[in-house]
Amino acid sequence: MSIVLPRAVMPDADFLREVRVSYATGANGCAYLMMGHPEAHERRGTSIDRHLRGIAVGLGLREGEGYPPTPRLLYYAWGAWALDYGHPETLLALPRPPHGWATRAQGDRAAHIGVCLDPALPPSTPDRVLTGTVGYKADRRLGLIH
């Protein structure tokens, strides 16, 4: 008897602590946030790959060109940034972004999000990135996120 593991697994808070984040402001002025894992590699099907895909699925990210809108939100409250990645109980706490990036995301009320399936940020090949655009919301209820 064999067990078939799902392609995407919603990660918990323990895995999220290992996620690396890279911020950039594009030539078009948009705020970009890329997430990945330092031990990700080209071999598909590992638990790291499935967890990264779980974040991407939860965010509603897609393969292919562009950054389509997603139903998820980027939150800022009391100096903390967090991303709703679809987990019923956990938000992804983000490191403090550069001031210019934060100002742009707040002004545009959106940020382009990517999950990189390669170990390096930014990714070495565009086809190893799942992308989308999340909305932005300032929310005082998140004051306890650190």
Side-chain angles (χ1 to χ4, degrees), residues 67-134:
Y67 287 80
T70 76
R72 300 298 173 198
L73 292 173
L74 173 69
Y75 291 100
Y76 173 76
W78 305 100
W81 289 82
L83 185 61
D84 170 8
Y85 71 104
H87 192 280
E89 300 171 356
T90 305
L91 294 173
L92 197 159
L94 299 171
R96 184 179 302 268
H99 179 73
W101 188 95
T103 301
R104 175 55 68 180
Q106 290 168 329
D108 290 349
R109 303 200 60 75
H112 294 324
I113 304 291
V115 170
C116 174
L117 303 176
D118 286 337
L121 294 176
S124 57
T125 55
D127 65 336
R128 298 283 292 158
V129 180
L130 304 166
T131 59
T133 300
V134 297

